[in-house]
Amino acid sequence: QVQLVESGGQLVQAGESLRLACAASGGTFSGHAMGWFRQAAGKEHEFVAAIARNSVTTDHAGSVKGRFAISRDNAKSTVYLQMNSLKPEDTAVYFCAAHRTVYVSRLFYRREDYDSWGQGTQVTVST
């Protein structure tokens, strides 16, 4: 299993942007599909975005589509989440996750699909 460490979370004002990063180690990063999830206080984990091994196939939750963008750099073993036009309802702990798969273009949407998780990074959006 890969080990994942998220970074980039902080307190920002509504309308601002942030880029989260998730660095992987201890495994073959390019062999994993990646995802971002978030958990707001008192709520369940929520799917945010996913990217396939091919770095091209992506998908985003409806609540963030058009504002967030997931990307990956296999040479750096890092997945990113660019977050623009942030809203207070985006406040949550953001987690990255990895799923080892043979499929190069497949996306994974469920928590139980993922094998490895980071510790999370807090994003707080103030009004």
Side-chain angles (χ1 to χ4, degrees):
Q1 288 186 344
V2 294
Q3 289 77 52
L4 304 173
V5 178
E6 301 96 335
S7 62
Q10 63 181 53
L11 171 64
V12 296
Q13 291 191 332
E16 292 185 340
S17 298
L18 272 180
R19 188 176 79 156
L20 304 183
C22 172
S25 62
T28 306
F29 180 73
S30 60
H32 291 77
M34 302 297 296
W36 284 98
F37 290 76
R38 66 186 181 186
Q39 187 174 28
K43 295 188 177 181
E44 297 289 324
H45 272 80
E46 175 189 15
F47 167 80
V48 176
I51 187 165
R53 287 178 54 197
N54 62 10
S55 303
V56 174
T57 306
T58 64
D59 199 8
H60 301 77
S63 59
V64 307
K65 196 164 288 186
R67 299 188 298 122
F68 290 13
I70 188 172
S71 62
R72 65 189 293 166
D73 184 337
N74 286 342
K76 295 183 178 179
S77 297
T78 301
V79 61
Y80 303 97
L81 185 67
Q82 177 66 43
M83 305 187 295
N84 300 326
S85 302
L86 282 161
K87 303 176 181 180
E89 51 263 44
D90 295 320
T91 296
V93 179
Y94 284 71
F95 299 88
C96 71
H99 174 65
R100 184 168 179 81
T101 179
V102 299
Y103 300 105
V104 297
S105 61
R106 185 171 173 178
L107 300 173
F108 298 88
Y109 296 86
R110 303 179 307 167
R111 286 192 63 198
E112 51 266 40
D113 291 332
Y114 288 88
D115 317 306
S116 302
W117 290 82
Q119 82 289 347
T121 186
Q122 176 71 47
V123 173
T124 303
V125 184
S126 65
T127 55

